[in-house]
Amino acid sequence: MAYDTVYSHSPRATPDFIERLKALVPGGLSVSEAERIIYARDYWPISLRWYLEGKVPSLPDCIVWPETTQQVKAVIDLANGERVPVVPYGEGSGVVGGAVPIRGGVVVDMRKMNAVVDIDDAGLMVRVQAGINGMNLERYLNRAGYTLGHIPQSLYCSSLGGWMACRAAGQFSTKYGKIEDMVVALEAVLADGTVIDSKPVPRSSTGPQVERLLLGSEGTLGIITEATLKIWPYPEKRALASFTFDTLDQPLEAVRRILRKNLYPAVVRIYDQHETLRHFGLKGQCMLILLMEGDADLVELEREAAGRLCVQEGGEERGEEPVKHWLDTRFNVRESSEFMPRGFIFDTVEISVGWRRALETYRAVIEGMRSVDGVVVASGHASHFYPQGVCFYFTFGGIPPKKGSPFAFYEAVWDAIMQATVDHGGSISHHHGIGLIRDKWLPREMGDRLALLQAVKRAVDPHHIMNPGKMEGGHER
Amino acid sequence: MSDKKYAWVRDALSHVPLTTKARALKHFLMGKNEYLPAKKTRADMDEVIKCALCPNMCKFDCPVLAAAATDAVSPSGKARLAYFLETEALATDDAALLMYACCSCDACREWCPFDFSVADILQGVRADLVDRHREPEAARETRQRLEEQHSLHQRQVEPAGPPTGDLLYFMGCEVSARHPEIARDTRTVLEAAGVTPAMLPQEWCCGAPLLSMGYVDDFLDVARHQARAVESSRCSTVVCSCPTCTYMLRVMYPRHGISLPAQVLHSSEYLARLVQEERLPAGAVDGPCVYHDPCTLARKLGVMDPPRQVLHRMGMDVRESPFNREHTQCCGRGGSLPSFFPKVADAITEARLQELHRTAPCIVTACPTCKSAFSGQGAEAYDLVQVVRRALEEA
């Protein structure tokens, strides 16, 4: 038995192209079949099912490991000349298929560009290459007395470049912001080979910040090679608090009021009844956990003020233990490993919505997921908050019906979530990005803005080499 | 399903139609075999699959990945390829070779929600490759060498000790071939404490490379030989210089059904015992040093305090690396990695040396292989017992 590929394409790189490419990247090039299998994917959950069935999403023609921005440029220049697709690769932890090389070509693994270039203590900034692993960056900063404050669940297996390319958000985002809030400046190689860099200044009124087009571009406009990020002194103190409520509207209201008061706990998480049972073993309750950190005096004040509002909204104080439990288990990603081998299909889907329609959107999405035949688990929590609204993070799991493919089941649940979100005026992604699974929803999400994005794409990438098949607004598998 | 941890699954099932519930239960209870290979494997396929489906949560701490820089050697990457090899979806030599891209340091285990050791997972995969005659040539060569000379390397020093004594000293391949001074110093230190060490007339390799490379049957033969040899020494304590020998004799032999009629200790544990019993005098050794925790000693055997206690007793100013104790980093020489990927092994050594040198120029460790790795790149590196011998001399 041999493996199959899901997205078939003919090789785009000729042997001559490969030879010329090899000369440009002393750090390495591979055409090994084993390595191409590994770089055929990211962490898109449906691809795990394919993999168990002996299928890989899509083989690249080769993988390269550049060590400098100039080498990245050389790769892109050559690929441009030969019209060969280029797909940037950070750590391969994306969950929507964004790094799957569906048209083949060259995967550019940025891992070797992982140096911390400089720490500016006075300006609280770090200059770092984009290929660095998240945990290795955070560990480096912690040892030097700082934190980035960007702690996604994928911290251990994701990269700075990946965070920027899909506009990631970390678990501590309510205080520290999302990755785009942390980026002060960036350097990138555009699809046409132009190298752009911006100044590490706090702000400038010099026209639109065009370099920011790269943030969230998912590798379709170029490759981000370096960035200057905001950092913070390692927090003096942490305070933990938790509350349970009878119904989901109560903690949502409590958190809305907390933010309205201009209080910003680092971690705020509200679990619906299903997830409160799953994560904390409490039935018929909704758990709210809060983690405040920073200056010792301010942390105490924040805890008291936030706690008062929670009690006012009907919360029952549950102490520090649930937060400690969350801290201890927040990186335990076990569900896919435990349930996929038994035939279940799992995924998580994040959306955002304004406060006015938050609760009804949550309900509509849960109902939408449940309406798909085969869905067993349909639950959600809220994990990122703003004075304006909230990000809901839904989980679904189930067994595909006997008739129809696993992908059809998977896509049906996704469609239900996307439709309910669009119907309620929400945004179809809060921080995982578009990738392959959300691409067909892009026109409904962006409306006429999609034409602007496509015009930018045509201007920067006239030969359509950068991560083709993504951010196109209509991709079908 | 009665387990409390699945209460949420029962709750979820209570919300779905009967037909879905029945289908889900059937899959939950019986679906586990659906994706297993048709043939029986030596590899634990449950572990292979779970590791393969993980997002690679331990990858940031994998020294092989850091040095080789390809996701194909990341822990989960190797498990994915292992799954394809075991299910015969893939049968290429490059994939088979990648199953040996591991230094057995168990850094992965520190971060694994399932407490898996990728080295242990790969051991089974390699055994399956051996059964199919698909192992790399370097593995065959090692096996042949061990069959012919019962040592990984050409010995420089033959055992020099009585066949019986207060304890049996097991020096190991690395000491006998590359660090005879460790054997001499161990003997000197033990005798100074009034202990007579016996040695085996013909010491065989502990078998760790055979087990690691998938030659399980050969490993069992070696383990049985060692059990007979220890028995014939009539010693009730075995002291090893090498953490891997200690781990094999103490943990892996019994795990494979072969128990030694003696307590097995690493030399640092025995020296710490002598210190505690005040059978070794306090020392005043000069200069600061950084102590490097050998992976096997710290992570697999949990021995972290004894070497430090000994060094403190010898008066040494011991500095700590930020990556110490169970968070130590590999020296690059573990798991037979240099036999398959010598450049990667060298790069791991270089990275660890840089890290250690940020703390102190002089390194003390408790593993002859770590010492070889560091001194091989020109660093000043000592085994614990050498420090003790020097302290005795200066006392």
Side-chain angles (χ1 to χ4, degrees), chain A residues 318-368:
Chain A
R318 291 284 185 168
E320 295 188 344
E321 279 311 312
V323 197
K324 286 181 180 163
H325 172 73
W326 174 77
L327 285 167
D328 288 345
T329 56
R330 65 193 160 133
F331 297 121
N332 286 2
V333 185
R334 303 170 61 112
E335 280 77 10
S336 292
S337 294
E338 284 188 337
F339 290 95
M340 286 234 173
R342 296 173 193 265
F344 285 77
I345 287 178
F346 260 85
D347 206 348
T348 54
V349 183
E350 23 60 69
I351 59 117
S352 74
V353 63
W355 280 118
R356 277 186 187 169
R357 304 191 74 183
L359 199 58
E360 60 174 308
T361 307
Y362 162 82
R363 287 178 181 144
V365 171
I366 294 283
E367 197 179 315

Side-chain angles (χ1 to χ4, degrees), chain B residues 11 27 44 65 132 143 200 213 248 258 262 288 296 316 319-320 330 338 365 388:
Chain B
D11 176 67
H27 275 270
D44 183 331
L65 174 59
R132 292 177 200 157
R143 180 197 196 189
L200 295 173
M213 291 183 192
M248 289 296 126
I258 298 160
T296 300
M316 190 155 239
R319 309 272 170 91
E320 294 288 346
C330 183
T365 186
V388 179

Side-chain angles (χ1 to χ4, degrees), chain A residues 1-3 32-35 37-39 41-43 48-49 51-56 65 89 91-92 109 111-112 133 135-136 139 143 153-154 156-157 274 277-278 283 331-334 336-344 346 370 373-377 399-402, chain B residues 4-9 11-13 15-16 20 23-24 26-29 31-35 49-61 65 68-72 77-81 83-84 87-90 92 94-95 98 111 113-114 322-323 329 355 358:
Chain A
M1 161 192 157
Y3 61 89
S32 130
E33 188 175 3
E35 291 189 279
I37 285 173
I38 291 302
Y39 286 89
R41 48 154 281 264
D42 55 12
Y43 198 65
L48 300 179
R49 172 62 175 251
Y51 166 79
L52 286 173
E53 293 171 352
K55 300 174 197 161
V56 298
W65 287 268
Y89 187 95
E91 285 277 31
D109 184 347
R111 169 179 302 279
K112 288 192 174 180
N133 170 283
M135 179 60 167
N136 289 334
R139 280 211 293 204
R143 280 172 63 184
Q153 190 179 36
S154 65
Y156 296 169
C157 59
H274 311 291
L277 179 61
R278 191 189 316 161
K283 199 159 187 181
F331 297 121
N332 286 2
V333 185
R334 303 170 61 112
S336 292
S337 294
E338 284 188 337
F339 290 95
M340 286 234 173
R342 296 173 193 265
F344 285 77
F346 260 85
R370 284 197 199 290
D373 183 20
V375 166
V376 176
V377 174
I399 298 284
K402 279 183 182 165
Chain B
K4 199 179 164 191
K5 79 173 184 173
Y6 291 124
W8 65 275
V9 178
D11 176 67
L13 286 170
H15 295 280
V16 301
T20 306
R23 210 165 61 233
K26 188 178 153 207
H27 275 270
F28 188 82
L29 298 173
K32 213 172 169 185
N33 298 331
E34 196 171 334
Y35 300 110
I49 291 174
K50 281 194 169 111
C51 183
L53 297 182
C54 172
N56 235 336
M57 294 299 274
C58 60
K59 71 189 298 191
F60 71 95
D61 216 15
L65 174 59
T70 166
D71 250 2
K78 283 179 287 208
R80 281 167 182 245
L81 291 172
Y83 179 71
F84 269 25
T87 54
E88 298 181 43
L90 180 69
T92 60
D94 60 349
L98 288 167
W111 309 98
F114 297 102
F323 296 104
Q329 294 172 326
E355 183 61 45
R358 283 191 198 114

Side-chain angles (χ1 to χ4, degrees), chain B residues 95 99 155 159 342:
Chain B
M99 297 303 99
R155 288 195 184 94

Side-chain angles (χ1 to χ4, degrees), chain A residues 9-245:
Chain A
H9 54 81
S10 50
R12 304 293 294 272
T14 61
D16 173 61
F17 173 86
I18 300 273
E19 279 308 306
R20 287 158 64 199
L21 190 59
K22 199 183 276 184
L24 298 173
V25 191
L29 177 148
S30 176
V31 291
S32 130
E33 188 175 3
E35 291 189 279
R36 287 162 60 223
I37 285 173
I38 291 302
Y39 286 89
R41 48 154 281 264
D42 55 12
Y43 198 65
W44 190 17
I46 191 64
S47 70
L48 300 179
R49 172 62 175 251
W50 291 337
Y51 166 79
L52 286 173
E53 293 171 352
K55 300 174 197 161
V56 298
S58 183
L59 293 177
D61 298 326
C62 65
I63 307 109
V64 292
W65 287 268
E67 293 170 314
T68 65
T69 299
Q70 282 312 307
Q71 288 174 17
V72 174
K73 174 180 164 49
V75 170
I76 288 180
D77 283 342
L78 181 68
N80 237 325
E82 302 288 328
R83 315 289 193 261
V84 175
V86 173
V87 181
Y89 187 95
E91 285 277 31
S93 66
V95 288
V96 287
V100 177
I102 60 170
R103 309 264 162 84
V106 184
V107 164
V108 180
D109 184 347
M110 295 294 288
R111 169 179 302 279
K112 288 192 174 180
M113 293 183 64
N114 62 0
V116 176
V117 180
D118 180 43
I119 290 183
D120 172 356
D121 177 70
L124 281 177
M125 291 185 281
V126 62
R127 180 78 173 176
V128 61
Q129 289 184 306
I132 195 166
N133 170 283
M135 179 60 167
N136 289 334
L137 173 58
E138 183 62 18
R139 280 211 293 204
Y140 184 99
L141 290 171
N142 292 169
R143 280 172 63 184
Y146 308 95
T147 180
L148 179 63
H150 186 76
I151 317 288
Q153 190 179 36
S154 65
L155 180 73
Y156 296 169
C157 59
S158 56
S159 72
L160 169 60
W163 297 342
M164 292 188 287
C166 76
R167 290 183 63 200
Q171 294 163 337
F172 289 54
S173 78
T174 300
K175 177 183 179 74
Y176 295 103
K178 285 66 195 168
I179 194 68
E180 69 270 21
D181 303 317
M182 300 168 184
V183 174
V184 180
L186 63 82
E187 178 197 79
V189 182
L190 300 183
D192 64 0
T194 309
V195 179
I196 60 163
D197 199 358
S198 55
K199 293 179 188 172
V201 291
R203 189 173 189 275
S204 53
S205 174
T206 53
Q209 288 181 278
V210 287
E211 73 280 7
R212 289 196 163 247
L213 282 167
L214 272 293
L215 301 176
S217 66
E218 302 190 16
T220 60
L221 299 178
I223 300 182
I224 304 169
T225 47
E226 270 188 36
T228 302
L229 307 168
K230 294 175 192 170
I231 52 175
W232 300 96
Y234 196 79
E236 274 177 28
K237 185 176 180 179
R238 249 184 198 178
L240 316 177
S242 69
F243 300 84
T244 49
F245 300 81

